[in-house]
């Protein structure tokens, strides 16, 4: 019999056809395999049992970077003449190409670089079809060597033989290279080359020097993570006050000396995407405290390029490996840029001559309930497509612009979404330029001609303005999408809820997003489907004193919250002894009161994120200054979690007010909290009471709403739900009531996931 087998999923450019070829040979099958617009097509001649065995093994031995979505077999009546099994030329069908993500060095390549007999011995650019650079080196399609930054390195005879040998692991590995024909690395100090590259570099690291290292998707700054003074010097020179620094350890065994590791965490560290994984600190062996001050976790990754392996092999300590940039600028990608921008930080540069075409930050993830929970989706994940749920098979082509912070954009086409890598905050000019470049590149790479532009409702976001301009210039449909609705629908899409799914309750808690009424939202309970939503409940709106300043000066939120309780005079009478009151007294009282009274530069915001800031500042955490959004909340979570390890608490009280919507109020919470401060209660106790009270209040809100609206599913999303303590407490409570909970996994809960939600809503509205 002859069967035609259609394989869909991520099956191109990942060594799928050679695997099919090898297995077909092994099973003695005749036929052919080819790539076409829908994936891979296999035609085989043989008896049913053999074909069955072959297909079973294909799924079992599927190449590591491939992801089979479906395999459909059908019998062919007309039997073509096959004398053997071949890889047939690709069929010219409409471009529907996928590019896989950059992948960490596979085990076989690792063995090659440490094998003195291998021609890849100690070669920092070793790769194969199972690993190596992809998005970081591609300039245009098709994904062939001439369209990558490897074009300038002609293959030597031996590499060409492997490239053309279907039995080789490097068959059609576009970035194949060896010491004879490929790129090289060198170490420089002040434009002078230092001999013995890797040993010299390791020597510098051991001795407390900072070194800039050109990596896969950008430059890193590296130093010995166990030397407190060195890490402090790096922070100071990089103008990075508090944000935790990423670490790299030789392997999970080394990392296990510093962190508690579950099997899922080990698997995630060693996944081909090789993200930074947030892991609970152990008390035993210590890394410099200033790597991640005040936090209970370290962010670790394992080596993901041969160069990293060669360096870490020679070190018996972990290194800091943080993005090579100054303050909030994007990571440098060219040698010249790096020398110019990082010259004040270090004199030592480990450079190479393989150009980085696409900047890719390291991805950041943690394990929640045994599943990955991405906080930043970049290297290793983008641009792997995400399958769209049922009903979106004929989705219109959408370009979704994303938000202002932690920006990503998203391309939707029939059946799938391509979410860009994390690009950063568009307020930063360099980031904004890089956003537009990356956007153009993606539109070209994926031959994407949008019919619809989806953008955030906020008229002043740079991405919103750009979206409007594109829609105007090309006469496209423009959809403006409410921020929190987009957050919720991104989770619905990732969880494969079909197009016409009934409305569910989405809880989106974050910093700020533009609301339909023109005020700022950020603590939202929306009854939502893919097309529309109804705002059922929200946090009480509180003035954002000084607008954006309130994000970076948490005390402003405390002031606004306290003043909702009472007049300044009364607050002073009641709480004069508290140091938060003494602190606030020193603030520009008159102008603050005027701002409040007249609403000058004090927009109202129902923000859950700012409530965390207000509480943290009341406790003296990041009171004057937060160096990044959410810093105060992260510290607050850390002390609460630590307290709860050995004690239990009741949880503070929240109140509700029923108007057109249900309003969740924090008045009682503040009274209880201020009283506890007066009693001199442990700050960990107060932080824990806040978290648990909040989790109970969220649960009670859901139950109250359910009495009137018959939903059974609840989405938990928004940046505030990256707070693991809050997330697990809310999940626990809602589970007890039998709700089905939907959370994000590979799409970040923060604004990094916004564009997927924008795209899917725009598609649904036009289907
Ligand atoms: Zn490999
Ligand atoms: Zn070669």
């Amino acid at each position: 019999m002859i069967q035609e087998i259609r394989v869909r999923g991520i099956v191109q450019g990942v060594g799928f056809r050679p695997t099919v070829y090898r297995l077909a040979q092994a099973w003695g099958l005749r036929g052919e395999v080819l790539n076409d617009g829908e994936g891979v097509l296999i035609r085989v001649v043989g008896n049913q049992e053999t074909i069955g065995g072959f297909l079973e093994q294909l799924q079992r031995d599927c190449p590591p970077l491939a992801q089979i979505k479906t395999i459909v077999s059908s019998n062919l009546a007309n039997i073509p003449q096959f004398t053997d099994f071949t890889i047939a030329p690709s069929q010219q069908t409409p471009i529907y190409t996928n590019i896989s993500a950059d992948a960490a060095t596979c085990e076989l390549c690792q063995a090659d670089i440490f094998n003195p007999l291998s021609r890849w011995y100690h070669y920092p650019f070793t790769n194969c079809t199972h690993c190596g650079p992809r998005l970081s080196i591609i300039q245009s399609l098709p994904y062939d060597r001439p369209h990558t930054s490897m074009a300038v390195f002609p293959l030597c005879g031996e590499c060409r033989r492997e490239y053309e040998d279907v039995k080789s692991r490097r068959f059609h590995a576009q970035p194949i290279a060896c010491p004879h024909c490929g790129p090289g690395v060198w170490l420089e100090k002040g434009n002078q080359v230092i001999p013995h590259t890797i040993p010299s570099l390791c020597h510098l690291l051991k001795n407390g020097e900072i070194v800039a290292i050109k990596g896969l998707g950008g430059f890193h700054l590296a130093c010995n993570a166990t030397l407190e003074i060195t890490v402090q010097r790096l922070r100071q020179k990089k103008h990075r006050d508090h944000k935790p620094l990423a670490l790299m350890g030789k392997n999970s065994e080394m990392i296990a000396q510093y962190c508690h590791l579950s099997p899922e965490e080990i698997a995630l560290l060693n996944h081909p995407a090789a993200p930074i994984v947030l892991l609970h600190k152990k008390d035993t062996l210590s890394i410099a405290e200033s790597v991640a001050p005040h936090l209970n976790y370290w962010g670790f990754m394992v080596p993901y390029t041969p160069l990293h392996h060669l360096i870490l092999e020679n070190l018996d300590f972990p290194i800091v490996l943080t993005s090579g940039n100054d303050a909030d600028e994007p990571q440098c990608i060219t040698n010249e840029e790096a020398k110019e921008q990082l010259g004040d930080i270090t004199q030592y540069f480990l450079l190479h001559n393989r150009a980085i075409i696409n900047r890719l930050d390291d991805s950041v993830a943690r394990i929640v309930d045994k599943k990955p929970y991405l906080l930043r989706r970049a290297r290793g994940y983008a641009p792997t497509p995400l399958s769209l749920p049922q009903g979106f098979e004929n989705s219109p082509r959408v370009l979704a612009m994303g938000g202002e912070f932690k920006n990503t954009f998203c391309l939707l086409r029939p059946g799938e979404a391509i979410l860009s890598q994390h690009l950063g905050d568009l307020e930063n000019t360099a980031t904004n330029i890089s956003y537009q470049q990356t956007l153009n590149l993606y539109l070209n790479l994926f031959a994407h001609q949008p019919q619809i532009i989806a953008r955030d409702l906020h008229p002043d976001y740079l991405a919103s303005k750009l979206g409007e301009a594109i829609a105007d210039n090309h006469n496209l449909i423009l959809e403006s999408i409410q921020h929190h609705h987009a957050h919720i629908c991104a989770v619905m899409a990732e969880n494969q809820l079909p197009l016409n799914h009934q409305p569910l309750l989405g809880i989106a808690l974050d910093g700020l997003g533009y609301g339909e009424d023109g005020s700022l939202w950020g603590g939202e309970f929306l009854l939502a489907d893919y097309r529309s939503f109804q705002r059922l409940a929200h946090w009480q709106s509180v003035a954002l004193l000084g607008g954006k300043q309130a994000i970076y000066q948490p005390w402003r939120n405390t002031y606004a919250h306290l003043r909702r309780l009472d007049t300044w005079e009364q607050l002073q009478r009641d709480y004069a002894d508290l140091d938060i009151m003494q602190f606030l007294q020193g603030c520009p009282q008159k102008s603050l009161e005027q701002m409040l009274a007249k609403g000058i530069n004090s927009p109202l915001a129902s923000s859950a994120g700012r409530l965390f800031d207000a509480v943290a500042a009341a406790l003296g955490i990041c009171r004057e200054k937060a160096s990044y959004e959410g810093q105060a909340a992260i510290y607050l979570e850390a002390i609460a979690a630590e307290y709860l390890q050995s004690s239990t608490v009741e949880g503070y009280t929240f109140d509700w007010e029923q108007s057109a919507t249900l309003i969740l109020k924090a008045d009682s919470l503040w009274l209880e909290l201020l009283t506890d401060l007066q009693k001199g209660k442990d700050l960990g106790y107060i932080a824990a009471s806040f978290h648990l009270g909040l989790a109970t209040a969220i649960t009670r809100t859901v139950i109250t709403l359910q009495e009137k609206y018959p939903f059974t599913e609840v989405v938990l999303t928004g940046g505030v739900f990256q707070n693991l303590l809050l997330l697990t407490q809310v999940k626990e409570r809602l589970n007890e009531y039998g709700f089905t909970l939907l959370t994000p996994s590979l799409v970040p809960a923060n604004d990094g996931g916004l564009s997927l939600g924008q795209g899917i809503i725009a598609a649904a509205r036009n289907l």
Side-chain angles (χ1 to χ4, degrees), residues 61-180:
D61 296 351
C62 169
L65 299 183
Q67 285 174 35
I68 298 176
K69 201 168 139 193
T70 57
I71 296 189
V72 181
S73 306
S74 54
N75 289 323
L76 273 188
N78 287 334
I79 301 185
Q81 291 304 307
F82 292 119
T83 51
D84 54 6
F85 196 91
T86 55
I87 296 185
S90 298
Q91 270 183 10
Q92 294 298 324
T93 40
I95 301 185
Y96 202 75
T97 325
N98 282 325
I99 300 151
S100 44
D102 300 64
T105 309
C106 72
E107 279 180 19
L108 294 169
C109 285
Q110 287 178 43
D112 284 342
I113 61 173
F114 291 116
N115 174 7
L117 300 176
S118 163
R119 68 189 195 92
W120 316 102
Y121 184 56
H122 283 186
Y123 184 56
F125 300 93
T126 307
N127 64 80
C128 73
T129 31
H130 305 158
C131 71
R134 296 284 194 281
L135 179 62
S136 59
I137 58 164
I138 192 168
Q139 225 141 18
S140 62
L141 275 184
Y143 174 58
D144 285 333
R145 194 174 179 97
H147 298 122
T148 69
S149 55
M150 291 302 292
V152 295
F153 301 102
L155 292 179
C156 69
E158 271 189 280
C159 283
R160 174 150 302 280
R161 265 194 296 284
E162 291 211 39
Y163 181 85
E164 289 170 354
D165 177 6
V166 67
K167 294 192 191 71
S168 161
R169 200 171 89 240
R170 298 188 169 95
F171 175 70
H172 282 191
Q174 303 306 337
I176 185 176
C178 76
H180 295 296

Side-chain angles (χ1 to χ4, degrees), residues 615 619 652 673 676-677 681-691:
V615 169
L619 271 59
Y652 290 136
L673 187 151
D676 279 347
L677 277 176
K681 285 264 176 85
D682 189 294
L683 296 186
Y685 167 88
I686 298 177
S689 303
F690 169 63
H691 277 83

